[in-house]
Amino acid sequence: MTALTLSTAAAPGLRADAIVIGVAKGAKGPVVAPGAEAVDKAYDGSLAGVLETLGASGAEGELTKLPAPAGFKAPLVVAVGLGAEPDAKDAEAGFDAEALRKAAGTAARALTGVKKAALALPVDGPGALEAIGEGVLLGAYSFDSYKEGNGKGKGARAKKGKAPLGEAVLLGGKPRDAAHKGALARALAVGEELNRARDLVNLPPNDLTPESFAGIVQAAAKEHGLKVQVLDEKALTKGGYGGILGVGGGSAAAPRLVKIAYTHPKAERSLAFVGKGITYDSGGISLKPAGHNETMKCDMAGAAAVFAAVVAAARLGLQANVTGWLALAENMPSGSAVRPGDVLRMYSGKTVEVLNTDAEGRLVLGDALWAASLEEPDAIVDVATLTGAMMVALGSRTMGVIANDDAFRTSVYEAAEEMGEPAWPMPMPEHLTKGLESQVADMTNVGERWGGGLLAGLFLREFVGDGITWAHLDIAGPAFNEGAPFGYTPKGGTGTAVRTLVRLVELTASGELG
């Protein structure tokens, strides 16, 4: 993990391997951003012109490297694009947190293999420092645990890739300032836990089973003083968790329901998170077609996000009680797998006719939502890579937000946007519920094709206790990046929803969550 430090030193005299500055896209060309004044001065005030000559425009994600000027102790200057220059007429205008986060992440990715870099990006307060620090940690992320033993020839071992950036010095940060230290602490807690979620998503399914996932949670709970409870297949059978047992019945790896809880002695409000944790999804008897199986290790990204958010809340000491419920199962076809046409009795007592075994996430979530409801929290938020239909609607980078309360849905959406996690509020048209009618059970697990992401929300709503405010985050698109890295987002697991959930805990603690 990249180390973060604060410093008020001037960039020219700092011993480092690189100095990172920001450059914005101005009306007449690139503009050197605040924080880089000393660097610009060393170029006789002509740095913007030099960058333009090298092809830089200041566009978001753009990166330009050039030799440091004479007298610098660092040999390299890295200019990273921040996007549009803020309106000079607005005295309060500055670069927003997400622009800083993306710029820092882009720079950190480019500096893989570098031991130490100083970031002279715009800092106008603790919020900017937090965004920069978080961007560095997320951008420097790599997953190479399995990149060993692939060398050519008998007994040869391939070297791992270059190590991530070793240390990032955030210039403009005051090491003794309480607010600045607090910003750094938040960046570390959220960034490290989000990367923990990424690690879990990236683990191969032969190493991440429901049982081993539960073991990882237990170890973290012990480390951070959290309470944890694991229901194995015997306890699930005794308790009547028909949804989780049905989905996990076809696998040699038995299912689990994990509860991890953080409590604060002064907390007045409580929040429950529920995560879909399908450690591998073959589709079951309704087998997925060729080309759709290769990334299905990511179907537990919701549970990973919930787990990471609860630990982050504990590390930050937030004044709210938070419980995470991880519904863990592997969806496989076999002689003991649930079949299309089978009827499952859920933990709530409702019966569900399974018409498609590849609509399994809503079944495990249904049991976990009811378990969470019995504790009567002030609100429940579930997170799941639930439907391809939501990806059709919103693409691969935006999560859908569904809720049983309009004000709460708006609050969740705004929290996600504030944290830089693209989201969009979605409706729950009541007429779609007709598609869930069954001739033999209380409901079916699928309905008509159109509006499938919305119908999934309507299904989940049936397992939320009366009077409990609830929201559903469908992260099917952004949870796993199959394309090239961008900003602070790597290829593979992204850790989507962790920052949103942590922000919701903060809003709950302050009484601001609508």
Side-chain angles (χ1 to χ4, degrees), residues 232-233 236-237 240-256 278 280-286 327-340 342-347 352 354 356-365 367 445:
D232 61 13
E233 62 270 37
L236 291 170
T237 301
Y241 292 85
I244 297 175
L245 288 167
V247 172
S251 173
R256 296 287 187 272
I278 303 299
Y280 183 75
D281 182 19
S282 69
I285 298 297
S286 305
L328 310 178
E330 185 177 67
N331 187 25
M332 296 290 284
S334 75
S336 58
V338 66
R339 297 154 293 209
D342 282 356
V343 174
L344 302 178
R345 185 172 296 279
M346 306 289 284
Y347 182 50
V352 176
V354 179
N356 187 329
T357 66
D358 195 25
E360 85 299 329
R362 63 200 68 184
L363 297 172
V364 300
L365 286 174
D367 277 354
N445 73 325

Side-chain angles (χ1 to χ4, degrees), residues 204-287:
N206 58 318
D207 280 349
L208 187 71
T209 64
E211 182 179 7
S212 65
F213 196 155
I216 292 170
V217 177
Q218 288 173 313
K222 184 177 181 180
E223 178 184 355
H224 296 285
L226 305 175
K227 293 181 179 180
V228 65
Q229 178 185 20
V230 178
L231 299 185
D232 61 13
E233 62 270 37
K234 292 182 179 179
L236 291 170
T237 301
K238 184 178 180 180
Y241 292 85
I244 297 175
L245 288 167
V247 172
S251 173
R256 296 287 187 272
L257 177 61
V258 180
K259 172 186 173 184
I260 180 170
Y262 158 68
T263 58
H264 190 285
K266 296 182 180 180
E268 296 181 355
R269 295 182 63 81
S270 60
L271 195 58
F273 297 144
V274 176
K276 173 187 173 184
I278 303 299
T279 55
Y280 183 75
D281 182 19
S282 69
I285 298 297
S286 305
L287 194 67

